[in-house]
Amino acid sequence: MTQPLVFITGASSGIGQALALRFHQAGYRLALVARRTSEVKSWADAHQISASSYEIYSADVAVVDSIVAAGTECIARQGLPDVVIANAGISVGMDTAVREDLDVMARTFATNNLGLAATFHPFAQGMTERRSGTLVGIASVAGIRGLPGHGAYCASKAAVISYCESLRGEMRPSGVRVVTLSPGYIDTPLTRSNRYSMPFLMQPEDFAERAYQAIAAGVSYRVIPWQMGVVAKLLRALPNAVFDKLLAGRPRKRRQTEAGQ
């Protein structure tokens, strides 16, 4: 029996690598996508993962033709995946009054939104015809309510949640599952530059375990850890005046951080 296959973007660090290791431990073959492919190879060697168990694809998810080509190559070399995880993303602070930050916003949307859809694109038709498969979008609790100085990132992750919800309804008749995962604060390069407290901070391995269980169960949406889901709901319920006062003076992230690109 052929081992199942998982396709993961953003596999050069953080959540992407943790998910890759967890799926490998579960017996999956790996299709790992990153711009920094040498880091993926070093990681695989360090974990003594057999060369026959994985393939590495070089792609930039912000460039549609690049990530679509990686997906097409994966199908040709390894077959149609059972699970596709659109994990690659960037977080950048922005100021609407600064002209250059409009380009920051465009890059964020290109990576976090168009890149996510382009990651799914090569596999959607094949999964529909096979009538099985799981598409996983990595969102964020930051998509539940906008945070000062993080308009691009929060808006992009809110769009991930809505896009995956729409896609779930579209794919349901074909038997293809769509799972949305919203991480809280995970100890990765994406969060280490944050200059504020990060409640319920998780290690990537702990997130990967809970994410794997959620994906295997085929849940439609889950916040990990669940405590951050409670916090997010409370923030969503706060009146605007209270919310604005609570976050007044929150520092703005200026340095771009890319998650496993």
Side-chain angles (χ1 to χ4, degrees), residues 13-22 183 185-192 201-212 224:
S13 66
I15 287 175
Q17 287 189 350
L19 286 169
L21 184 59
R22 182 62 185 88
Y185 293 113
I186 313 298
D187 185 15
T188 70
L190 193 67
T191 60
R192 286 173 193 152
L201 182 68
M202 294 185 73
Q203 293 303 308
E205 296 76 16
D206 295 330
F207 171 82
E209 176 60 36
R210 298 188 198 187
Y212 175 81
I224 302 173

Side-chain angles (χ1 to χ4, degrees), residues 5 56-57 68 145 218 235 259:
L5 174 66
I56 302 173
Y57 303 92
V68 168
R145 188 143 198 182
L235 289 175

Side-chain angles (χ1 to χ4, degrees), residues 162-219:
S162 293
Y163 168 79
C164 287
E165 188 171 39
S166 298
L167 186 63
R168 186 173 73 245
E170 296 166 11
M171 302 298 284
R172 186 186 300 276
S174 67
V176 178
R177 293 174 169 175
V178 178
V179 176
T180 309
L181 299 180
S182 289
Y185 293 113
I186 313 298
D187 185 15
T188 70
L190 193 67
T191 60
R192 286 173 193 152
S193 62
N194 289 345
R195 295 173 290 155
Y196 45 81
S197 63
M198 295 182 285
F200 310 112
L201 182 68
M202 294 185 73
Q203 293 303 308
E205 296 76 16
D206 295 330
F207 171 82
E209 176 60 36
R210 298 188 198 187
Y212 175 81
Q213 296 299 334
I215 294 167
V219 303

